[in-house]
Structures are given as C-alpha cells and as structure tokens.
Amino acid sequence: TAADSARRSSRAAATPAKAAAKPAPPPTASKPKAQESLVSYSDVDDELVSIFLEEAEELVDGCENSLQRWNNNNSDTESVMDLQRQLHTLKGGARMADLAPIGNLSHSLESLIIAVNDGQLPFTRDMSHVLHEAMDRLSDMLARVKVRKPIPTAENLIAHIEGLRRGESVTPPSKAPDA
C-alpha cells in the first residue's frame, strides 16, 4: 500500500546514518513466524495486568496439574472439569486485562477440552502433546508479559487446536522462536 511504501521510504532515508553504527536486526526480530504478529502493551492498564499476572501463574500451574492427572487417568472427569474451569478463568482475566493473545489461546484450549468432555472427540496422545505445548506457550506468554515484552499471537497453534477440535488431521505447528 501507499502507507507501507511511505514508511519504507522514510526508514530508508533515516537508516544510512545509523547503518554504520548499528547492524540491522534480523528479519525475524519483529515476528516469530510469518503468520504471527506481536502484541505490545501501549493501551493496557498496568494495574490490571499486574493483578492478572498474580492469578494467571496460579491458574497455569493448576492447568498443568489437572492436565497431568488427566494424562494419568483418562477417565478422571474431575481433572477435566478443573482444567476447563481454570482455562475459562484464565481466558476471562486475560481479556479483562486486554491481553488478547492469552485470552484467544485459552479460549481455543477451553473449546477443545469441552469437545472432549462432551464426547465429541477422543482424548489422544497427540492431543495431550498439543495441550502440553499450549500450556508451555501460555507460560512463555506470561513470562513475557511479566517483563512487558510483546507477546506472539500464537495463531499457528490456535489454528492447529481448532483443527483438532473439528476432528481434522492436522500437522503440528513448529515452535515459534523467541522474539
């Protein structure tokens, strides 16, 4: 677009003087993957984020414990309900704190758990791996929020989870590098 061209032109005009002093960042510095973007904190309420973080770390720990119990006993409906409740609470807190990437990933996970709990999908080893990967991603996102680094949107992982929820055979996404 014209706006993109104007930005590139203004950057190009400002860059030569700085180029000798500082090397250009690698192309992946602003985006961990081509399809994912980073979300920053320009419009978030810092107090809400701090309150959210206090609860979120406990919720993610609880999710991981519930998931481990469910892995050990696939018929443990209490651990499934705990996992679903914790994800629901995490989603709501993230959205209240205006941290959409965490809310969106939590929502996707919650929807997948509901589908399994309602008997629409079987709980499989592959699904367990994706759930663990998603919990790791949520932990990484929280760590980034804690130090106010931009967080990736996790669009690829969400697309994978949504494919599983629809019963599709989908290729797992590769891990996004740290940005």
Side-chain angles (χ1 to χ4, degrees), residues 22-131:
K22 187 164 108 177
T28 59
S30 63
K31 292 185 179 183
K33 292 191 148 200
Q35 296 96 341
E36 293 187 0
S37 58
L38 295 175
V39 176
S40 64
Y41 306 93
S42 57
D43 296 329
V44 299
D45 181 330
D46 212 42
E47 187 175 339
L48 273 178
V49 170
S50 295
I51 292 168
F52 166 73
L53 283 171
E54 288 176 27
E55 183 179 23
E57 290 175 344
E58 291 177 24
L59 287 168
V60 169
D61 287 344
C63 286
E64 289 172 346
N65 290 333
S66 296
L67 182 54
Q68 190 59 46
R69 288 194 328 264
W70 191 21
N71 278 320
N72 293 336
N73 179 2
N74 292 1
S75 61
D76 181 359
T77 56
E78 184 178 330
S79 61
V80 178
M81 294 305 294
D82 285 347
L83 181 58
Q84 182 181 336
R85 179 183 48 78
Q86 292 159 342
L87 286 168
H88 181 78
T89 304
L90 183 65
K91 172 188 72 177
R95 289 185 172 167
M96 187 179 301
D98 204 21
L99 299 170
I102 295 172
N104 294 343
L105 181 54
S106 299
H107 173 73
S108 184
L109 288 169
E110 179 188 17
S111 297
L112 180 62
I113 301 301
I114 289 170
V116 172
N117 197 35
D118 289 350
Q120 298 170 5
L121 295 171
F123 181 65
T124 64
R125 181 176 292 288
D126 288 339
M127 187 181 298
S128 174
H129 290 300
V130 171
L131 290 170

